[in-house]
């Protein structure tokens, strides 16, 4: 009976020491995550023209600046495609306007896995010497272990 009381006291003392040695905290359960927001600006001064195509004609009534004279003039309307490894832009019209632009930029996704709290208890096979009423004897069996610290 005395050895059972010593075993229970020893088990309780080990449990308390294990709980006090590494208290759970929010910082340990989730890693620090920093978010960096950056705006990239692509400046392309003279982009490469990929192709030019005629899309139609516009008839415009043009006036001279110094008099009231005017004349009807046919002006060709073109669509010009500018392209690079980072974008493709479509510009068209007699008075140029941007039709559409496609921007190609690489996107990286970073996934952060939360830290998993290690398990404190384990059930497994154990071997060694055990204290029995008949004294210290070899022991092989199933045992419960408590992890006190991690290397």
């Amino acid at each position: 009976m005395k050895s059972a009381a010593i075993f229970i006291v020893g088990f309780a003392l080990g449990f308390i020491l294990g709980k006090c040695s590494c208290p759970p905290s929010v910082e340990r359960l989730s890693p620090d995550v920093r978010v960096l927001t950056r705006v990239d600006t692509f400046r392309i001064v003279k982009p490469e023209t990929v192709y030019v195509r005629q899309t139609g004609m516009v008839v415009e009534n043009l006036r001279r600046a110094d008099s009231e004279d005017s004349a009807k003039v046919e002006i060709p309307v073109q669509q010009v495609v500018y392209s690079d490894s980072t974008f493709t832009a479509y510009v068209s019209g007699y008075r140029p306007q941007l039709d559409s632009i496609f921007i190609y930029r690489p996107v990286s996704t970073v996934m952060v896995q939360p830290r998993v709290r290690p398990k404190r208890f384990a059930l497994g096979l154990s071997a060694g010497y055990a204290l029995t009423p008949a004294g210290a004897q070899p022991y092989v069996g199933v045992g419960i272990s408590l992890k006190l610290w991690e290397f």
Side-chain angles (χ1 to χ4, degrees):
M1 187 66 157
K2 186 177 177 182
S3 63
I6 292 173
F7 175 77
I8 292 173
V9 169
F11 182 79
L13 185 63
F15 182 80
I16 291 170
L17 285 174
K19 272 302 211 188
C20 294
S21 68
C22 185
S25 64
V26 175
E27 290 82 22
R28 185 166 180 211
L29 295 177
S30 63
D32 294 335
V33 177
R34 288 180 42 183
V35 177
L36 176 65
T37 304
R38 190 177 82 188
V39 177
D40 291 335
T41 303
F42 298 106
R43 184 172 183 213
I44 300 167
V45 180
K46 185 104 172 138
E48 180 183 336
T49 304
V50 176
Y51 69 88
V52 178
R53 75 178 171 137
Q54 190 79 22
T55 59
M57 297 292 277
V58 172
V59 177
E60 189 73 29
N61 195 9
L62 300 177
R63 287 183 9 162
R64 288 183 58 174
D66 58 347
S67 70
E68 294 293 319
D69 288 343
S70 66
K72 291 189 178 194
V73 178
E74 282 190 2
I75 301 172
V77 177
Q78 297 178 336
Q79 182 181 45
V80 182
V81 178
Y82 299 99
S83 184
D84 191 3
S85 64
T86 58
F87 77 98
T88 300
Y90 295 87
V91 180
S92 67
Y94 153 60
R95 294 190 171 102
Q97 63 184 14
L98 179 66
D99 293 337
S100 61
I101 186 166
F102 299 96
I103 299 174
Y104 315 113
R105 106 188 140 105
V107 176
S108 299
T109 303
V110 178
M111 308 231 2
V112 179
Q113 291 287 91
R115 293 185 203 151
V116 178
R117 187 171 176 203
K119 295 184 178 181
R120 309 280 296 161
F121 291 99
L123 179 67
L125 294 175
S126 59
Y129 278 91
L131 291 175
T132 65
Q137 293 181 345
Y139 164 76
V140 176
V142 177
I144 298 174
S145 64
L146 171 69
K147 187 190 287 187
L148 297 176
W149 63 85
E150 195 172 321
F151 293 103

